[in-house]
Amino acid sequence: MKKIILAAAMTASALPLSVTASEITLGLSEHVVSANLKSNINSHANLEGGYIYSDKKGHLAEFAMHMMHQTGPHTIEIGPKWTSVWFDNSPDGSVISVGGHYSFALSNNISIHGDAYYAPSVLSFSDVDGYTELGAKVQYDFNPNMAIFIGYRNLNFKYDGRSDRSFEDGFFIGGTSRF
């Protein structure tokens, strides 16, 4: 775990000075806590890193790079994501998935968001043979710098010759701070 934190710190320190953190998100459910940091590289690309801890399943770290496009109330982010999982009672593994985020602003304060990622067997490593991630949330913005949300997330790892293992499958609440 220390190696991952050290690698993430070294990667962040190697980024150009123009890259600044723009959004930090914290999520919470009965057995899971998550943190996510998103930084804009420019107006059309971002980097994203996250960590999820489950007291019943283990640890998960993820890093993504997205190309972004915004048209009116629609925002689309598409790109690859590296995810590594350390299960307590199943084999560990990593995947490189492809997918992204979509958001639609219903009004100035309310928006809906969707996430989807997929990794086939060829992009799955160690004992993992595939991965799917689906998520959705409804967000309320108090102001341009602060928001709260409620959502649902399903992270499912596929194994060859073993039963599939869900890292998280349920509802969560959280907040976002932009700076």
Side-chain angles (χ1 to χ4, degrees):
M1 189 63 170
K2 290 180 182 179
K3 290 181 183 179
I4 291 174
I5 293 170
L6 179 62
M10 289 173 53
T11 302
S13 66
L15 295 175
L17 292 176
S18 63
V19 174
T20 58
S22 63
E23 188 173 288
I24 186 164
T25 302
L26 300 172
L28 183 66
S29 69
E30 185 176 352
H31 298 288
V32 177
V33 62
S34 62
N36 191 8
L37 179 65
K38 186 185 287 188
S39 299
N40 290 329
I41 297 173
N42 59 40
S43 61
H44 299 290
N46 67 33
L47 292 174
E48 189 174 337
Y51 173 78
I52 303 174
Y53 170 74
S54 170
D55 66 355
K56 296 199 177 271
K57 305 284 176 82
H59 306 267
L60 183 140
E62 53 191 8
F63 297 95
M65 182 174 185
H66 297 111
M67 301 306 291
M68 302 182 315
H69 179 71
Q70 185 169 7
T71 303
H74 305 277
T75 302
I76 299 169
E77 301 176 21
I78 298 173
K81 177 162 64 168
W82 170 77
T83 303
S84 194
V85 65
W86 299 272
F87 276 112
D88 290 341
N89 299 318
S90 291
D92 302 338
S94 298
V95 299
I96 299 173
S97 56
V98 179
H101 308 293
Y102 170 76
S103 65
F104 179 72
L106 297 171
S107 69
N108 287 339
N109 296 347
I110 298 174
S111 58
I112 56 173
H113 302 253
D115 306 318
Y117 288 91
Y118 172 71
S121 177
V122 71
L123 295 176
S124 303
F125 309 101
S126 299
D127 292 319
V128 175
D129 195 42
Y131 173 75
T132 56
E133 176 180 336
L134 297 172
K137 68 181 180 181
V138 176
Q139 181 168 297
Y140 178 79
D141 291 3
F142 289 108
N143 58 45
N145 298 327
M146 186 172 56
I148 60 171
F149 57 81
I150 184 168
Y152 173 82
R153 178 170 45 203
N154 180 289
L155 311 174
N156 193 38
F157 290 85
K158 185 177 177 184
Y159 290 95
D160 191 23
R162 300 186 81 166
S163 60
D164 295 352
R165 184 77 194 261
S166 177
F167 186 83
E168 182 181 9
D169 186 15
F171 290 93
F172 63 101
I173 61 170
T176 298
S177 178
R178 298 176 195 95
F179 48 97

